[in-house]
Amino acid sequence: MRSPIAEVPTWPEDVRARYRALGYWTEESFADFVADRTARFAGHTAVVGVDAHGRPQRWTYADLAEQADRAAARLADAGVEPGDRVVLTLPNVVEFVAVVLGLFRMGALPVFGLPSHREVELTQFCTIADAAALVVVGEADGCDHVALHAAVAERLRGQGVEPPALVDVREWAQSREVRDQRPAAGGRAAEDVAFLQLSGGTTGVSKLIPRTSADYLYSVRASAEICGLDEACVMLVVLPAAHNFPMSSPGILGVLHTGGTVVLARDPSPRTAFALIEAERVTTVALVPPLAQAWLSAARRRTPDLSSLRTVQVGGARLSDSVATQIGPVLGARLQQVFGMAEGLVNYTRDDDPDEIVTTTQGRPISPDDEIRIVDADDREVPPGEEGRLLTRGPYTIRGYYRADGPNRDSFTADGFYRTGDLVRQLPSGHLVVTGRDKDQINRGGEKVATEEIEGLALTHPGVLDAVAVGLPDPYLGERICLVVRPQPGRAGDDDLAAQIPGHLRAAGLAAYKIPDQVVTLDTFPATHVGKNSRRELRRLLTGQLTGQLTGQLTGRLPGQPPVPTTT
Ligand code: AMP
Ligand code: DBH
């Protein structure tokens, strides 16, 4: 027996009543959503992609309903009950959609992990969520996820936490047993928490984001409308499907809401994507800035047939204005910038925005009831048009993380605004320009990494006295991760130390995208006036060094070159 889902901080009752009265929140739960859309669009193509064995699949909405029911039955066999939390680490295979919808049907809650997560992250998710099962695809992208489950289970047992059951979807496709039994509907209400999304985080421990059917489906419906989705839309999903962006902005759920087709790309390379666009007549796709750049250069070399493509969404990290202006001419599709967060608020540039706005801003909020405050360090509003910290609250922005009283005090104001940690300025039209960040996080090409998490693990290396992770400007990734370590006395000038750190972090079970791109050793750290390590000064020093201006303060070296995203 798992613990019941925890109480979460929520909207005050008068605010809830208002969101209902305005029609933002309806009585539709995710279980209703699945039943309704799969019946309404039964004969349409819902999902195209490959399964866990790499075999091509093409499911209608009726097939999808059946697959979701089967997934639910399998999960129930593994011991999952309504209200349980289930961590997913599936890559972009068709089973991902079946499992998510199956969990919704049975009233269990997906926790949206990524295939790139390892022992560190998965142990945290399972602990916080008290997960009943971990759903994996056996071997994926060079990782044995069954062995990973065993390693996570061992860590959890060591902490006195009951490990989750292992559910390997690769076994489903092999088994000849057919279940035709419908799972009992789980009976979660529209305003109950429906799933847990992940936050990029700013602390050493992951934060889980509780989203309800009512708040999330509002954002999905409104996003689908803003983006003009209809039954004819064909959306290519190249980003990890579990990310909030391809899930809901308008994403997979937006497409299923309107009866369109989701095409899952097993890998994000332009080669795979361009072939799918041509074959499936894809109309829309969501990218992060590094992928947008990779697509631009590949499209220039190969002149693929992208004639069906109407919209290219780019979000997750700041798109440079200069790359933004190339999207339309080179890909032959309209750019849409998307600035969102799994905690809630999503901004879009609109179809009828002038080109200038589309290429230089990150959009404006979905809802007239998204409240935006742009403040200084003392939470006082800055004059209109000036840069400040973005605070927000509204009908689909959470009021607190799941089981995280400490972080909630830091991340939310007393009156319920979420502190996004983003620096923005707002144009008179309402559009936001993201100008920077004020949180201990590195945004590595759209993947967010809490600096504290890397630093904490680096400190477990016996040769490390102190460690600071900084994001350095990178032409592809926007930012790359540089870890600066201060050696223990006696290891000063030890070149090997820097070289050992990435392997140490990998062995500790940290996700690959959080492993530093560079490690530098430095005998003394610059300090702030209160004696703390100065991240800002370090960043300045390192940026200086990389452009060749530094004057011998660094004793270390920069192993390895910045990685280049897959471009073939
Ligand atoms: P998370 O809270 O982990 O879902 O990450 C959301 C964060 O990603 C935002 O708070 C921003 O820092 C960043 N982000 C998302 N979209 C954009 C964008 N279009 N431009 C700049 N930053 C973005
Ligand atoms: O980066 C994000 O988290 C993000 C970006 C675009 C997001 O959550 C979203 C749209 O919904």
Side-chain angles (χ1 to χ4, degrees):
M1 265 297 277
R2 297 289 166 171
S3 52
I5 181 152
E7 290 262 342
V8 300
T10 186
W11 298 263
E13 187 45 47
D14 58 325
V15 176
R16 303 167 74 94
R18 188 158 170 270
Y19 293 156
R20 284 179 212 123
L22 287 164
Y24 300 149
W25 291 7
T26 71
E27 307 222 310
E28 184 173 60
S29 70
F30 268 108
D32 302 330
F33 174 89
V34 174
D36 178 84
R37 303 307 184 282
T38 54
R40 195 188 311 175
F41 304 117
H44 296 205
T45 304
V47 182
V48 176
V50 297
D51 66 16
H53 293 275
R55 295 177 300 216
Q57 299 287 338
R58 182 175 287 273
W59 293 347
T60 63
Y61 278 80
D63 296 334
L64 178 56
E66 193 186 315
Q67 295 289 348
D69 282 349
R70 278 198 206 181
R74 305 271 190 182
L75 288 155
D77 279 351
V80 175
E81 295 181 8
D84 279 349
R85 281 75 57 203
V86 173
V87 178
L88 315 183
T89 64
L90 296 177
N92 291 8
V93 290
V94 290
E95 289 90 340
F96 174 86
V97 188
V99 167
V100 173
L101 268 51
L103 288 167
F104 285 155
R105 268 194 93 102
M106 66 194 288
L109 289 77
V111 182
F112 288 113
L114 298 173
S116 50
H117 286 137
R118 295 290 175 266
E119 289 95 318
V120 165
E121 294 85 11
L122 297 177
T123 303
Q124 290 178 4
F125 306 156
C126 289
T127 305
I128 302 168
D130 187 25
L134 176 66
V135 183
V136 305
V137 49
E139 171 109 24
D141 309 320
C143 174
D144 177 349
H145 287 262
V146 175
L148 180 56
H149 168 271
V152 171
E154 194 182 313
R155 286 192 186 202
L156 289 167
R157 270 187 225 104
Q159 293 173 200
V161 177
E162 189 191 339
L166 171 67
V167 176
D168 181 357
V169 300
R170 213 179 28 174
E171 313 252 294
W172 296 357
Q174 265 165 354
S175 160
R176 261 180 243 110
E177 172 210 13
V178 177
R179 297 280 305 245
D180 52 16
Q181 163 199 338
R182 284 223 146 179
R188 295 193 71 70
E191 291 177 31
D192 291 341
V193 176
F195 62 87
L196 298 169
Q197 187 51 276
L198 306 185
S199 156
T202 52
T203 60
V205 178
S206 303
K207 284 177 277 185
L208 301 183
I209 298 170
R211 301 290 300 258
T212 66
S213 298
D215 88 74
Y216 208 65
L217 281 173
Y218 165 53
S219 77
V220 166
R221 286 193 312 272
S223 294
E225 193 177 330
I226 287 167
C227 301
L229 298 194
D230 58 19
E231 281 176 44
C233 79
V234 181
M235 177 179 289
L236 180 65
V237 180
V238 296
L239 300 177
H243 265 240
N244 198 59
F245 179 15
M247 176 74 66
S248 67
S249 299
I252 295 171
L253 292 171
V255 172
L256 298 180
H257 166 67
T258 55
T261 302
V262 173
V263 178
L264 295 171
R266 185 64 182 80
D267 77 84
S269 68
R271 183 191 299 276
T272 301
F274 291 173
L276 285 169
I277 292 172
E278 231 176 291
E280 301 296 336
R281 304 298 295 161
V282 167
T283 59
T284 177
V285 66
L287 301 176
V288 288
L291 267 183
Q293 271 181 276
W295 280 40
L296 286 173
S297 53
R300 286 196 177 98
R301 285 199 310 272
R302 298 207 192 109
T303 58
D305 175 8
L306 305 179
S307 56
S308 58
L309 203 56
R310 285 204 304 267
T311 309
V312 173
Q313 298 184 295
V314 183
R318 181 66 153 93
L319 179 65
S320 74
D321 296 0
S322 66
V323 175
T325 53
Q326 299 168 47
I327 303 275
V330 178
L331 300 178
R334 174 92 165 152
L335 169 67
Q336 178 179 52
Q337 297 213 40
V338 190
F339 163 41
M341 51 209 73
E343 287 82 353
L345 181 70
V346 181
N347 302 274
Y348 296 102
T349 57
R350 306 302 208 262
D351 230 18
D352 55 1
D353 282 338
D355 287 352
E356 164 87 12
I357 288 283
V358 173
T359 54
T360 61
T361 81
Q362 282 61 59
R364 61 183 172 83
I366 289 180
S367 176
D369 282 277
D370 281 322
E371 297 172 68
I372 298 293
R373 289 182 64 204
I374 302 173
V375 303
D376 64 17
D378 299 318
D379 280 354
R380 279 186 303 248
E381 271 184 61
V382 300
E386 285 190 15
E387 180 190 79
R389 298 154 191 230
L390 173 65
L391 311 183
T392 185
R393 73 182 177 188
Y396 61 97
T397 297
I398 57 162
R399 295 297 182 111
Y401 293 105
Y402 188 66
R403 297 180 64 190
D405 293 343
N408 284 343
R409 277 189 289 277
D410 296 337
S411 299
F412 296 84
T413 65
D415 54 353
F417 279 82
Y418 169 54
R419 298 183 187 277
T420 66
D422 295 313
L423 299 178
V424 301
R425 59 191 174 80
Q426 191 166 33
L427 306 186
S429 60
H431 291 81
L432 297 171
V433 179
V434 180
T435 53
R437 190 173 52 225
D438 178 41
K439 52 185 166 186
D440 292 333
Q441 190 181 77
I442 298 169
N443 188 335
R444 185 178 185 274
E447 295 286 9
K448 288 78 176 180
V449 185
T451 52
E452 195 180 306
E453 191 168 23
I454 307 174
E455 292 159 1
L457 278 177
L459 286 173
T460 64
H461 187 289
V464 173
L465 181 64
D466 204 353
V468 173
V470 291
L472 297 184
D474 182 275
Y476 261 112
L477 295 167
E479 286 179 90
R480 65 173 174 275
I481 304 172
C482 178
L483 184 74
V484 194
V485 297
R486 194 171 151 205
Q488 290 282 3
R491 297 209 45 167
D494 180 351
D495 273 0
D496 275 355
L497 180 60
Q500 286 169 16
I501 300 297
H504 173 76
L505 296 176
R506 227 172 266 118
L510 192 65
Y513 67 87
K514 302 180 183 175
I515 306 293
D517 300 294
Q518 299 175 309
V519 182
V520 175
T521 57
L522 189 57
D523 292 336
T524 48
F525 280 2
T528 63
H529 61 281
V530 293
K532 292 210 293 188
N533 290 330
S534 172
R535 225 174 269 284
R536 177 174 310 192
E537 184 58 16
L538 270 175
R539 196 177 301 115
R540 205 185 59 75
L541 283 171
L542 290 161
T543 314
Q545 192 203 34
L546 297 174
T547 52
Q549 300 158 6
L550 203 76
T551 55
Q553 285 214 39
L554 299 175
T555 58
R557 58 193 178 133
L558 304 171
Q561 291 299 308
V564 177
T566 331
T567 53
T568 52

